[in-house]
Amino acid sequence: MLRSALLWASQNKTIARQLPNYRFARKAVTRFMPGENVDDALRAGELLRAQGIPTVITRLGENVTEASEADDVRMHYADVLATIAGLKQETQISVKPTQLALDIDEARCVDNLKSLADSARRVGNFVWIDMEYSSYVDRTIAAFDNVRDQHSNVGLCIQAYLHRTPKDLEHLIKSTTAIRLVKGAYRESADVAIQSKKDVDEAYMKLATRLLEETATGREVGAPPAFATHDLNMLNRITTTARNLGIPNDAFEIQMLYGIQRNEQLRFAQQGYRVRVLISYGSAWFPWFMRRLAERPANLWFLVKNIAG
Ligand code: FDA
């Protein structure tokens, strides 16, 4: 119930307007992001690089309502890619389609994505595309297919909780192995998404196994698959399955969010796995922060402690 309430709050415009004004909320957010500016994310990336952990950075924000806002986002990321090129960091970018105009004009979103893939290709970098609410999945896959036709340096996130995802994976895997598998972070109804955690976990494992079997054939297109989860039980099952299939530790990625399971990030990296940490930045953090709280309602304590503080 608490998860549903937090996910409901993530879509509430009044709370979205009010909460970020409070100091305690801004402070609590720092548990999950190093700061609102891209420099904060790059500085945190530098510390992780020193520990042998590459990163992927994302500017928070979604559902832009003006094409010009999406153009600003595209130009921002193009600048960021140029900045990264001047650093030693192995840092990719991850973008949300609705931040690049998917809600307003699909063709424009595709153009924005292509432009970013071009910018990234010029500096040998890579663009991940996030998956948002289920109502965007068809359009996001269509946009991805369109970009993927001309660019191999793009990868797409898929969500295990959606009933449709096994079919989507079979479609995507024909053209790419650059797939980031997540459980899914949004509030979705039972007709589109699995509701019980246990069943989502099983769905995740089936999809992960399918991705690993493809990896075992030695066919890597674009980039290796990424298992984005903090679920240690799941990751143990994945690494065991990979070992049984004879897949080397560095033939797939483990991705986690900044600030979550830090010790485990390091432990996997020290064991020779490719670990990548996603670092968020930006001022539009409210819905994203609510989703992080919903993933682990115990995180509400950070908020409560900061109110008390
Ligand atoms: P699960 O929720 O079962 O958690 C397993 C354990 O991990 C918990 O018991 C807890 O210990 C720890 N944990 C999980 N979340 C935590 C949190 N917020 N704070 C503290 N501990 C936590 N989703 C989506 O719909 N579209 C997307 O594009 C992406 N992109 C993405 C990229 C990357 C790199 C990651 C890691 C995740 C995403 N997600 C996402 C989010 C994803 O769908 C999912 O909501 C979160 O990863 C939480 O689920 P877990 O797989 O970690 O498992």
Side-chain angles (χ1 to χ4, degrees), residues 81-259:
L81 285 165
T83 305
I84 293 169
L87 303 172
K88 283 199 205 117
Q89 286 182 30
E90 196 207 312
T91 298
Q92 302 171 337
I93 61 166
S94 195
V95 298
K96 284 202 180 349
T98 66
Q99 207 180 16
L100 290 166
L102 189 66
D103 263 341
I104 315 162
D105 177 349
E106 278 173 61
R108 195 170 190 123
C109 178
V110 170
D111 287 346
N112 284 333
L113 287 168
K114 282 184 177 166
S115 161
L116 284 179
D118 267 336
S119 304
R121 185 164 54 190
R122 277 196 290 276
V123 292
N125 209 330
F126 191 88
V127 180
W128 282 103
I129 301 175
D130 290 354
M131 193 61 86
E132 302 172 79
Y133 284 99
S134 59
S135 52
Y136 294 115
V137 176
D138 278 328
R139 282 174 282 168
T140 302
I141 291 180
F144 175 77
D145 284 344
N146 200 329
V147 181
R148 180 71 190 75
D149 271 349
Q150 292 152 24
H151 301 81
S152 59
N153 62 330
V154 284
L156 182 66
C157 178
I158 57 171
Q159 299 154 321
Y161 65 7
L162 295 184
H163 299 307
R164 59 176 289 166
T165 299
K167 223 167 132 205
D168 290 338
L169 177 59
E170 288 312 316
H171 163 76
L172 290 165
I173 220 165
K174 287 186 200 131
S175 71
T176 185
T177 52
I179 292 168
R180 175 207 288 155
L181 180 62
V182 300
K183 289 190 189 174
Y186 296 84
R187 188 159 70 128
E188 299 287 359
S189 58
D191 55 328
V192 291
I194 304 166
Q195 303 292 307
S196 99
K197 173 171 161 46
K198 188 170 148 281
D199 294 345
V200 173
D201 287 356
E202 283 321 302
Y204 189 101
M205 198 53 217
K206 275 194 192 138
L207 294 159
T209 304
R210 176 71 186 94
L211 269 168
L212 287 170
E213 283 165 356
E214 195 64 26
T215 309
T217 65
R219 176 180 163 265
E220 180 187 308
V221 189
F227 302 102
T229 180
H230 315 95
D231 187 333
L232 299 182
N233 175 39
M234 199 62 58
L235 287 170
N236 286 336
R237 289 172 71 185
I238 287 169
T239 51
T240 305
T241 306
R243 217 175 9 260
N244 292 341
L245 287 167
I247 300 170
N249 288 1
D250 63 354
F252 58 94
E253 257 183 19
I254 293 172
Q255 295 190 355
M256 294 195 192
L257 300 177
Y258 175 85

